[in-house]
Amino acid sequence: MRVELPVLIAREFVIPRLPELLARHPQLQLEICASDRIVAALREGFDLVLRVGPVNEPELVGRRLGEAPMMNCASPSYLRQHGTPRTLDDLRDHLVVHYATDSAPVFEYFDGQTYIELPMRSAVTVDNFDAYEAACIAGLGIVQVPRPGQERHANKLVEILPEFTARPVPITLLHTHGRSVPRRVRAVMTWLTELLSPLVSELVKSR
């Protein structure tokens, strides 16, 4: 069966635990596509996809695993060069790394009532999450990233403006089989839910 996962989740959380799944289901054969693009799941022949972010695909069926809290980060080298922003007004003198799926570079924050997108300047645009993190580590701007997994960058990224984070991102596991879900798909969905739901819940509790 074919499964599409975001690169970070595949690399850090799922693939290291795959031996457990294959020991449980020794006849299972998996093709994992690790990508940060939004695949056309039905047209491209995927059985399961994991979405981090809003879902607008009514032809897919699934379950929401939870939400990942967000954090704002910059590299030590960037902060030495540009200073550490303490307020939203300070952001006028700063850059963000622009993610290509966003129509324009912005800094999203909650103003107490709603989420607002503050227009920002950017020197670089990237189209996948690894490049997004790498650009931040290289000192090219501020990023807004899910908190899961960021501890691996403990010496490379610094959290800034913790009171002004972007909206949490939903994490949803979806299949393409409608009401007739094959046994193999149910098995992998169950395993992924067991694996990822506690992680998401723990992250939300620790905010």
Side-chain angles (χ1 to χ4, degrees):
M1 61 174 288
R2 301 188 72 212
V3 181
E4 191 272 336
L5 301 169
V7 173
L8 174 65
I9 290 177
R11 183 183 65 231
E12 299 293 329
F13 304 115
V14 174
I15 290 177
R17 300 281 295 276
L18 271 184
E20 302 170 19
L21 174 64
L22 296 177
R24 189 186 299 182
H25 303 284
Q27 302 302 313
L28 186 66
Q29 292 185 326
L30 289 176
E31 179 183 339
I32 295 178
C33 174
S35 170
D36 289 326
R37 70 185 180 91
I38 303 299
V39 301
L42 277 171
R43 181 165 53 82
E44 297 184 42
F46 285 98
D47 295 287
L48 279 178
V49 295
L50 187 72
R51 294 281 188 258
V52 178
V55 174
N56 185 24
E57 297 166 284
E59 70 277 14
L60 303 184
V61 180
R63 62 185 69 168
R64 186 157 164 162
L65 302 182
E67 293 182 329
M70 299 290 285
M71 63 189 300
N72 309 313
C73 295
S75 71
S77 63
Y78 175 89
L79 297 175
R80 284 193 298 270
Q81 181 178 355
H82 298 275
T84 300
R86 307 291 183 188
T87 68
L88 293 173
D89 285 342
D90 291 343
L91 291 176
R92 290 179 296 183
D93 300 320
H94 286 269
L95 300 168
V96 295
V97 179
H98 179 211
Y99 207 113
T101 54
D102 297 327
S103 58
V106 297
F107 181 93
E108 185 181 82
Y109 68 96
F110 188 65
D111 72 349
Q113 294 183 322
T114 188
Y115 284 94
I116 293 176
E117 293 184 344
L118 178 68
M120 295 284 292
R121 294 181 299 120
S122 178
V124 62
T125 298
V126 298
D127 67 353
N128 70 73
F129 191 76
D130 278 352
Y132 188 61
E133 288 186 324
C136 183
I137 291 169
L140 294 170
I142 296 166
V143 295
Q144 297 187 288
V145 292
R147 190 173 291 276
Q150 291 307 314
E151 63 276 358
R152 72 193 190 286
H153 295 318
N155 298 320
K156 298 176 182 177
L157 295 179
V158 177
E159 184 173 9
I160 60 171
L161 296 171
E163 68 274 34
F164 295 112
T165 55
R167 73 185 71 215
V169 290
I171 300 175
T172 311
L173 185 60
L174 302 149
H175 69 77
T176 58
H177 294 276
R179 294 183 179 179
S180 302
V181 187
R183 185 178 301 175
R184 67 185 187 281
V185 175
R186 289 187 185 276
V188 177
M189 284 193 75
T190 297
W191 181 77
L192 284 171
T193 301
E194 291 172 357
L195 177 67
L196 297 175
S197 291
L199 174 68
V200 173
S201 298
E202 199 58 39
L203 288 163
V204 171
K205 288 178 190 174
S206 64
R207 274 186 295 179

